[in-house]
Amino acid sequence: FFVNDVIAMPDGTFVGVGQSAETDAGPALGWLVSLAPDGAVAWQRYLGGGPDLNVSLDAGIVTSDGGIAVTGWVATAGGEDVLVAKLDASGAVAWAASVGGTSADRGTALAELPGGDLAIAGVTDSFTASGHAGWVMRFAASGALAWNAVLGDAEWSDLQAATLGAGGEVVVLGRVSEPGLPTNDLWALGLEPSSGAIAWQRAYEGTSGDHGSEVLRLASGDLLLAGVWAWGFPEEDLWLL
């Protein structure tokens, strides 16, 4: 059993999202568990099923209607596909969708846009010349895929976090390996919500591996980035920007 993310619900309860399996051999199911403030289990829900269908939920958010949205991956013959699902506050599935190619593709973070659409950040090994690149998608509130954008197609990259910027842009955070540098840099981008086009981007560079794992928008509209910084240090350190 793994809990990969925790959602604070409006009623004071918490929902953990992750993966559940009875044995190491699987099958593994996407898992949601609702906990009361005192830690008592209120309900559990599972996504997936079947001996060859492994599912993992890697991130979740509470949505403006009081429901839950999650993303992660579902196993395919070629690897994994990005999985996105919308649920109500009791864990009942309103819709679920998957998208991917012939290799490993995963959703790692998500944010809700005005009107209920979802922006999904993750990684694709299927649709990039580099073999591993950041991938962002927009799903309509109905579950239909509106657009997708591969980021860092010429470089090795991935994305681990997402939020909405003060100007309405989709802000994603992760890492990118740029030509001429020995390893990856922390990478932040702002994307146009209508198309996924890059509005701005910044790479925070060091001589060792740096990456971003969480981004929050503060009340002032500023962004707080969290990650790991190895710039100028013999070992990795926590890094806040």
Side-chain angles (χ1 to χ4, degrees), residues 84-142:
V84 184
K86 178 68 172 63
L87 308 95
D88 66 18
S90 68
V93 177
W95 57 261
S98 63
V99 59
T102 58
S103 296
D105 308 303
R106 296 188 174 196
T108 57
L110 69 169
E112 186 182 23
L113 301 170
D117 287 9
L118 298 173
I120 310 298
V123 59
T124 178
D125 292 353
S126 299
F127 303 116
T128 173
S130 68
H132 191 79
W135 197 19
V136 180
M137 289 149 280
R138 177 171 178 164
F139 283 84
S142 63

Side-chain angles (χ1 to χ4, degrees), residues 35 38 112 116 139 145 169 192:
L35 303 176
D38 64 359
E112 186 182 23
F139 283 84
L145 179 65
E169 72 274 24
E192 297 290 348

Side-chain angles (χ1 to χ4, degrees), residues 61-223:
I61 58 171
V62 60
T63 53
S64 57
D65 61 2
I68 299 165
V70 294
T71 190
W73 56 267
V74 55
T76 66
E80 295 93 32
D81 285 349
V82 173
L83 175 67
V84 184
K86 178 68 172 63
L87 308 95
D88 66 18
S90 68
V93 177
W95 57 261
S98 63
V99 59
T102 58
S103 296
D105 308 303
R106 296 188 174 196
T108 57
L110 69 169
E112 186 182 23
L113 301 170
D117 287 9
L118 298 173
I120 310 298
V123 59
T124 178
D125 292 353
S126 299
F127 303 116
T128 173
S130 68
H132 191 79
W135 197 19
V136 180
M137 289 149 280
R138 177 171 178 164
F139 283 84
S142 63
L145 179 65
W147 54 255
N148 76 95
V150 178
L151 306 176
D153 182 62
E155 301 86 19
W156 189 98
S157 65
D158 54 33
L159 302 171
Q160 298 294 329
T163 192
L164 291 186
E169 72 274 24
V170 177
V171 178
V172 293
L173 181 69
R175 56 185 172 173
V176 61
S177 180
E178 297 182 283
L181 293 175
T183 185
N184 51 270
D185 306 326
L186 186 148
W187 191 33
L189 307 96
L191 309 177
E192 297 290 348
S194 60
S195 64
I198 296 174
W200 57 261
Q201 61 177 312
R202 301 287 187 274
Y204 298 90
E205 301 171 347
T207 57
S208 299
D210 312 308
H211 64 270
S213 56
E214 187 60 89
V215 56
L216 301 173
R217 190 181 80 190
L218 305 179
S220 64
D222 291 353
L223 297 170

Side-chain angles (χ1 to χ4, degrees), residues 27-29 47-55 74-76:
L29 302 175
L47 297 180
D52 300 318
L53 186 62
N54 292 313
V55 174
V74 55
T76 66

Side-chain angles (χ1 to χ4, degrees), residues 209-211 228-230 233-238:
D210 312 308
H211 64 270
V228 174
W229 187 34
F233 292 89
E235 301 293 342
E236 292 183 336
D237 291 85
L238 296 177

